[in-house]
């Protein structure tokens, strides 16, 4: 039995380190190879982008997606300052009073959405449906004594 750490004799080592290994077979997959030029020539004109090679988006839209796209772009969510509409409205107001205001505003969405005086005074703020929560939080933080309410467009 050899001693640990002792040099290995040439006879014990064998010639496993010096044996030639067979070459690795070449991959048969063409997944990473460049396709052949169908014209048969190797000019660079084949690979150049031409103006006729433009990607086109699908033009078919269902009626439901078209209607949804129209409603999303033409009817934004509204953030409304209830305190500006009713001076007695405070953050400590009765939730049933706030709810009644919200229901009234939802019924009259179009009137409030197109009222230029309310829009100019920032009483009514149109907002995108993806950012309304952040916008509402920042309005409440900037004006802590006002009550803001999100009003969604009617379906």
């Amino acid at each position: 039995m050899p001693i640990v750490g002792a040099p290995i004799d040439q006879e014990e080592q064998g010639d496993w380190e010096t044996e030639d290994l067979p070459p690795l077979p070449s991959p048969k997959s063409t997944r990473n190879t460049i396709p052949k030029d169908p014209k048969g020539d190797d000019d660079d004109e084949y690979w150049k982008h031409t103006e006729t090679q433009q990607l086109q988006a699908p033009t078919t839209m269902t009626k439901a997606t078209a209607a949804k796209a129209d409603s999303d772009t033409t009817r934004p969510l509204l953030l409304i300052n209830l305190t500006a509409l009713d001076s007695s409205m405070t953050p400590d107001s009765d939730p049933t009073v706030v709810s009644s205001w919200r229901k009234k505003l939802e019924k009259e969405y179009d009137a409030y959405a197109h009222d230029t005086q309310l829009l100019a005074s920032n009483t009514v703020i149109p907002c995108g449906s993806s950012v309304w929560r952040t916008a509402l939080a920042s309005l409440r933080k900037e004006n802590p004594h006002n009550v803001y309410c999100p009003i969604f467009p009617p379906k």
Side-chain angles (χ1 to χ4, degrees):
M1 177 159 186
I3 301 174
V4 178
I8 300 175
D9 291 339
Q10 189 67 13
E11 292 174 9
E12 287 181 21
Q13 184 177 7
D15 21 321
W16 63 270
E17 288 182 347
T18 58
E19 286 181 18
D20 288 334
L21 296 175
L24 294 174
S26 63
K28 297 192 183 206
S29 169
T30 59
R31 184 175 70 187
N32 294 330
T33 60
I34 297 174
K36 299 272 187 210
D37 186 0
K39 293 185 205 173
D41 56 358
D42 290 330
D43 63 349
D44 290 336
E45 294 300 317
Y46 174 77
W47 299 104
K48 287 187 179 176
H49 175 73
T50 62
E51 294 301 320
T52 58
Q53 295 175 332
Q54 294 178 358
L55 296 177
Q56 295 179 357
T59 56
T60 58
M61 240 186 180
T62 63
K63 289 180 181 178
T65 56
K68 185 176 186 290
D70 285 344
S71 68
D72 288 347
T73 58
T74 58
R75 304 185 92 184
L77 178 134
L78 302 176
L79 297 177
I80 298 182
N81 184 348
L82 296 180
T83 306
L85 297 176
D86 182 0
S87 59
S88 66
M89 190 71 62
T90 66
D92 298 327
S93 295
D94 184 22
T96 56
V97 175
V98 175
S99 178
S100 66
W101 263 102
R102 183 184 50 77
K103 289 176 183 175
K104 176 187 177 219
L105 295 170
E106 285 175 346
K107 287 179 184 174
E108 299 175 12
Y109 173 89
D110 288 323
Y112 285 95
H114 300 297
D115 189 324
T116 56
Q117 288 181 334
L118 294 176
L119 289 166
S121 66
N122 283 337
T123 301
V124 175
I125 303 169
C127 186
S129 61
S130 63
V131 296
W132 71 271
R133 286 183 180 94
T134 308
L136 183 62
S138 72
L139 284 170
R140 287 177 174 167
K141 187 177 181 180
E142 291 171 9
N143 305 306
H145 301 291
N146 292 349
V147 178
Y148 289 91
C149 180
I151 303 297
F152 295 90
K155 295 181 181 182

